[in-house]
Amino acid sequence: MVADWVRCAGCAGLVYGKRFTRCAHVCPDCGRHGPLTARQRLDQLLDPGTAEPLQAVRTVEDPLRFTDTRPYPDRLAEARAATGLEEAVVCVRGRIEDRPVVVAAMDFRFLGGSLGCAVGELITEAARTSLRHRVPLLLVTASGGARMQEGVLSLLQMAKTAQALAALDAAGVLTVSLVTDPTYGGVAASFATLTDVIIAEPGARLGFAGPRVIEQTTRQRLPEGFQTAEFLLENGMVDTIVPRPGLRSALGRLLGLGRPAPSPGSGADPAGADPAGADPAGEPLRPGAADVLLRNPEELAERDPWEAVRLARHPGRPTAADHIGHLLDDFLPLHGDRLAGDCPAVIGGPGRLNGTPVMVIGTHKGGPTLAERQAHSFGMATPSGYRKAGRLMRLAAKLGLPVITLVDTPGAHPGTDAERGGQALAIAENLRLMSGLPVPIVAVVTGEGGSGGALALAVADRVLISEGGVYSVISPEGCAAILWKSPEAAPAAAEALRMDPRELLRLGVVDGVVAEPPDGAHSDHAKAAALLGDALTAVLGELVPWDPDRLRQERVRRFQRIGVATGSAGAAVATPAADRSGADRSGADPHDGDAGADDGRGA
């Protein structure tokens, strides 16, 4: 029965009960998300009439014969009578926006949503069902932690559920967490944070130790908003925050990106590409990259090298966000490295390119104003940015999604915090990861491709460059300062570095050049994106039919050939365009190149 009036626990305002119900228990005045029961959560998320309960599993009820102020069986009986539930989680099969899914929804009313043997087994059974039917698993979490009345047996449920999610990882089945308030302790430290994508409701709290325990232990007052969804997003722990009214739509888009289960007797390999070359959605990719890419250096007009650099840096050029906005449908931006932070210079997430599910990752310089560019560190990624990119690439590999990277950066971030965070290692790990990724990778240098910071997103099956882009081991200013001993020699350095598309194509560093509008990409973002989209679609059409072994082998061969001398005269057929020493030359100014040893050897 709905109360006539409900007092919001956030703003203390009174809300008409029926209105509060229509708003899914979200206060219309302050936006506070009130608690939902497991049944209410399922009703909100699932398509009507699609919920099918999973078969109940039997577990030990009172393994320790535990009694505190009351016997544990009495507490269980009281919780069952109060909630109408057998346990603190309800598991069903159903559909969200007609996408099949297995859902395990926790209910905080049942002994604080605590994790005991029964909850652990139910979560594990939900994962087994997801694996058996090869449909995504959605975990809706609300818990105070492990159930003390079941002692160490409750603790071991953390390992049991983690193993169940590991099996889904190995099988390439999408897993998603929806974190609701609160999610603490053993649940937070196991299945809630082990999923591919973590979505949080606004204000939801997530952590291992609760704030009261932390304050009592450390005797320090916690900062405002500590452990809330907003705090977690800023610190790279969750992918996105979605208000309750938008959850069904966001989840529907996300569930549609998972690899579909093969039909019985189809013979399709669920871990590999479709042998016919169709995309994962079943729509054929358009062939003919030769028609939309410039592959002959003579097709490109000669351009003054320094003017090419200036064009690549034009503040009006479309950013990664601009291209994504024009090219992708159903794009869901994902955030954070799940370790330390969310670098604003790297953006990415899944979406659809002409109906084809893809993972897009880009270095993002920000908008045309100085303030916007400063907010995104001029596209210079920190270690958390490269680790975020690596996480999204691993997710793409799990789901069988082609990877597209959009590179526009002066170089990796050169600050002390970046070095302290392991900048060189973060770049090196991406080079190794991309070399062995089992899905197609297409990298496009859309503006500046600077040093190891660019290469960390450009170990690809096909490396393209926009007609107005440049790609080099170091900025012309940095090269001039080191070798010419004068920054005024930057134009001469630009010519010597052979960093424009015509020379890069001639050297074999790039596989093709993406045409731009006659006055440059900055003059017409929509047209520039359309040309880029045609090139990407065509190149993916070439690569998607390749099996993972061929992709990896050809990718390695592509880079092994660069710089190798051939022929009787021993002439080098190509030279590397990116720094393989690990030194980054970006400097405090994105273009001054002030870094490293100035011993005349360059990068």
Side-chain angles (χ1 to χ4, degrees), residues 454-496:
L455 183 62
L457 293 182
V459 181
D461 303 294
R462 295 288 182 269
V463 180
L464 312 179
I465 189 168
S466 294
E467 198 173 5
V470 294
Y471 189 14
S472 176
V473 66
I474 191 172
S475 70
E477 295 91 336
C479 180
I482 294 170
L483 298 183
W484 275 262
K485 310 300 182 184
S486 169
E488 285 74 26
E495 182 175 6

Side-chain angles (χ1 to χ4, degrees), residues 62-77:
D62 184 15
L64 307 184
R65 298 180 182 178
F66 190 94
T67 298
D68 44 28
T69 58
R70 299 172 59 193
Y72 177 41
D74 290 355
R75 293 190 182 277
L76 285 172

Side-chain angles (χ1 to χ4, degrees), residues 118-405:
V119 171
E121 180 59 28
L122 285 163
I123 295 291
T124 302
E125 180 58 26
R128 292 191 196 108
T129 304
S130 178
L131 179 61
R132 188 161 56 247
H133 296 280
R134 301 192 67 85
V135 300
L137 175 66
L138 170 62
L139 303 170
V140 185
T141 63
S143 177
R147 191 169 297 180
M148 292 176 288
Q149 293 90 338
E150 296 184 18
V152 73
L153 276 70
S154 66
L155 178 70
L156 300 184
Q157 302 308 308
M158 296 168 61
K160 180 178 186 175
T161 55
Q163 290 167 350
L165 264 70
L168 292 174
D169 287 338
V173 177
L174 176 69
T175 56
V176 182
S177 287
L178 172 55
V179 175
T180 74
D181 188 58
T183 298
Y184 279 112
V187 170
S190 58
F191 56 88
T193 51
L194 287 177
T195 56
D196 299 314
V197 178
I198 302 177
I199 298 173
E201 286 192 329
R205 291 167 294 168
L206 171 75
F208 183 56
R212 184 171 56 187
V213 173
I214 295 173
E215 287 189 332
Q216 287 176 349
T217 303
T218 64
R219 302 189 182 280
Q220 294 179 344
R221 186 168 181 81
L222 298 176
E224 189 71 24
F226 182 72
Q227 293 184 324
T228 62
E230 294 73 17
F231 171 89
L232 296 166
L233 182 66
E234 182 180 347
N235 286 277
M237 303 302 174
V238 302
D239 283 290
T240 186
I241 299 172
V242 180
R244 198 168 286 166
L247 280 173
R248 265 179 54 81
S249 175
L251 287 169
R253 294 198 308 272
L254 185 58
L255 296 177
L257 294 170
R259 182 188 289 115
S263 57
S266 66
D269 176 8
D274 182 274
D279 70 43
E283 295 293 330
L285 288 157
R286 287 181 285 171
D291 299 331
V292 295
L293 283 174
L294 303 173
R295 296 180 184 264
N296 184 345
E298 304 310 317
E299 295 180 86
L300 294 165
E302 289 194 45
R303 179 177 286 154
D304 176 83
W306 183 239
E307 286 304 312
V309 173
R310 291 166 61 88
L311 177 61
R313 296 173 179 172
H314 194 290
R317 285 186 71 81
T319 64
D322 293 327
H323 282 309
I324 288 170
H326 280 102
L327 291 176
L328 295 192
D329 296 319
D330 297 334
F331 177 66
L332 180 65
L334 302 181
H335 295 271
D337 64 353
R338 301 276 180 91
L339 180 66
D342 180 47
C343 174
V346 176
I347 62 174
R352 293 180 181 273
L353 174 66
N354 293 325
T356 302
V358 295
M359 183 69 74
V360 176
I361 304 163
T363 47
H364 183 50
K365 283 186 172 179
T369 69
L370 178 61
E372 290 173 310
R373 294 193 163 219
Q374 287 174 331
H376 292 272
S377 299
F378 299 93
M380 297 186 294
T382 62
S384 68
Y386 291 116
R387 291 180 180 126
K388 171 167 64 174
R391 182 172 77 83
L392 297 186
M393 290 179 202
R394 284 188 287 271
L395 176 57
K398 174 180 174 178
L399 300 180
L401 305 182
V403 172
I404 296 169
T405 64

Side-chain angles (χ1 to χ4, degrees), residues 400-573:
L401 305 182
V403 172
I404 296 169
T405 64
L406 305 176
V407 180
D408 186 10
T409 178
H413 199 287
T416 56
D417 285 344
E419 292 300 319
R420 189 179 296 114
Q423 185 70 287
L425 177 60
I427 291 172
E429 287 178 334
N430 270 18
L431 303 183
R432 179 171 60 186
L433 172 66
M434 295 185 79
S435 296
L437 217 62
V439 293
I441 310 173
V442 181
V444 188
V445 180
T446 60
E448 283 187 280
S451 190
L455 183 62
L457 293 182
V459 181
D461 303 294
R462 295 288 182 269
V463 180
L464 312 179
I465 189 168
S466 294
E467 198 173 5
V470 294
Y471 189 14
S472 176
V473 66
I474 191 172
S475 70
E477 295 91 336
C479 180
I482 294 170
L483 298 183
W484 275 262
K485 310 300 182 184
S486 169
E488 285 74 26
E495 182 175 6
L497 286 168
R498 310 289 187 190
M499 56 196 297
D500 62 281
R502 182 183 172 98
E503 291 300 321
L504 294 168
L505 196 59
R506 195 189 311 279
L507 290 168
V509 173
V510 300
D511 302 293
V513 178
V514 182
E516 294 187 1
D519 294 327
H522 60 277
S523 68
D524 190 339
H525 286 196
K527 179 62 175 176
L531 291 166
L532 176 58
D534 287 342
L536 289 170
T537 302
V539 170
L540 285 176
E542 295 178 349
L543 296 173
V544 164
W546 292 12
D547 63 54
D549 285 342
R550 182 181 178 188
L551 286 167
R552 286 186 286 247
Q553 290 167 5
E554 293 293 337
R555 192 180 306 144
V556 168
R557 287 194 193 103
R558 183 195 185 282
F559 285 87
Q560 295 295 324
R561 286 194 299 264
I562 293 176
V564 175
T566 61
S568 57
V573 296

